[in-house]
Amino acid sequence: MPDLANLTETQAKARLAEVDLTLGGLSPQSSDTVPAGHVIGTNPGAGTALKPKDQVVVITSTGPATKPVPADIIGKSFEEAKAELVGLNIGLVVQRTDAVNDAVQPGEVFGVSPDVGQPISPGGTVTLTVAEADGFDNGDGSGGDGSGIQVPVPNVVGKSYREAENILQRRGLKIDRIGWIGGPGDRVTSQSAKAGSKIEKGSTVHVNTTWDPLG
């Protein structure tokens, strides 16, 4: 029995005819290494002693198998996440959509469709949702005191404006409301410097607020 591995189906049939063997059928299987339409192997296997006209089943590749959406693309940049998906070698189309999300840094992937863990078929499409800036200074706040002293930014989202002001002041930071003048009981809906990041003491954290009837 000759070795037909990596031949095309047409080449494999011709090779069997050359050695007076009969094609007993095709058995499709997925393969991450053998291109679709090429031979993975045979049954009986290469090197087996056969009689003329014996039948041989040719195992052919259908291409890569379905793979799950990897979890570690969340938090990566679009280019990093795209490279990982392309590296699955199943011919994916990777698309991008942008959306404001002040819980993550701009440029980070925070969503994916299909969801993490869901199967993606060869040649399918995966859409990555990437955080975009919301018009704030999303990095280090602004207007530090020049001391070079870095302080951690607290999370003030959900707090009243008065509470947020007190929390920030205790860290040596200032607060500034974006857009319009409101009351001290209004709720903070987003903040510029990311919670947990470090910015210079004396910097201003910009916030958006919404009216709270109970505030």
Side-chain angles (χ1 to χ4, degrees):
M1 174 64 206
D3 186 358
L4 307 182
N6 293 307
L7 298 181
T8 65
E9 292 179 15
T10 300
Q11 291 170 335
K13 292 175 183 177
R15 183 73 181 105
L16 288 175
E18 288 175 2
V19 294
D20 200 20
L21 294 174
T22 304
L23 177 66
L26 299 175
S27 177
Q29 290 185 15
S30 63
S31 173
D32 291 337
T33 57
V34 179
H38 289 242
V39 175
I40 298 173
T42 56
N43 185 17
T48 303
L50 299 175
K51 300 186 297 293
K53 308 300 182 185
D54 276 355
Q55 292 191 341
V56 176
V57 175
V58 176
I59 304 167
T60 57
S61 171
T62 58
T66 296
K67 293 188 178 181
V69 177
D72 62 356
I73 61 175
I74 301 300
K76 291 185 175 180
S77 70
F78 173 76
E79 293 302 328
E80 290 171 333
K82 180 179 178 179
E84 180 170 349
L85 290 167
V86 170
L88 295 176
N89 294 318
I90 57 174
L92 293 180
V93 176
V94 182
Q95 297 181 340
R96 171 175 176 157
T97 183
D98 294 89
V100 173
N101 186 336
D102 56 23
V104 300
Q105 293 287 357
E108 286 185 6
V109 173
F110 69 90
V112 59
S113 177
D115 290 334
V116 166
Q118 292 300 305
I120 39 180
S121 300
T125 298
V126 175
T127 301
L128 300 174
T129 304
V130 182
E132 65 179 357
D134 57 7
F136 286 159
D137 169 9
N138 284 281
D140 297 333
S142 61
D145 61 7
S147 65
I149 298 173
Q150 300 292 302
V151 296
V153 178
N155 182 15
V156 295
V157 174
K159 304 293 185 181
S160 70
Y161 185 83
R162 183 188 295 109
E163 290 173 326
E165 184 176 35
N166 290 336
I167 292 170
L168 291 169
Q169 285 178 346
R170 288 198 295 271
R171 297 288 180 92
L173 301 172
K174 301 174 185 177
I175 190 171
D176 179 57
R177 192 194 312 253
I178 296 294
W180 59 285
I181 302 300
D186 293 346
R187 292 289 157 185
V188 174
T189 57
S190 59
Q191 64 186 75
S192 60
K194 184 179 179 181
S197 63
K198 290 187 177 183
I199 58 178
E200 188 176 37
K201 185 178 180 181
S203 295
T204 299
V205 176
H206 307 283
V207 300
N208 262 329
T209 60
T210 186
W211 178 65
D212 186 344
L214 301 178

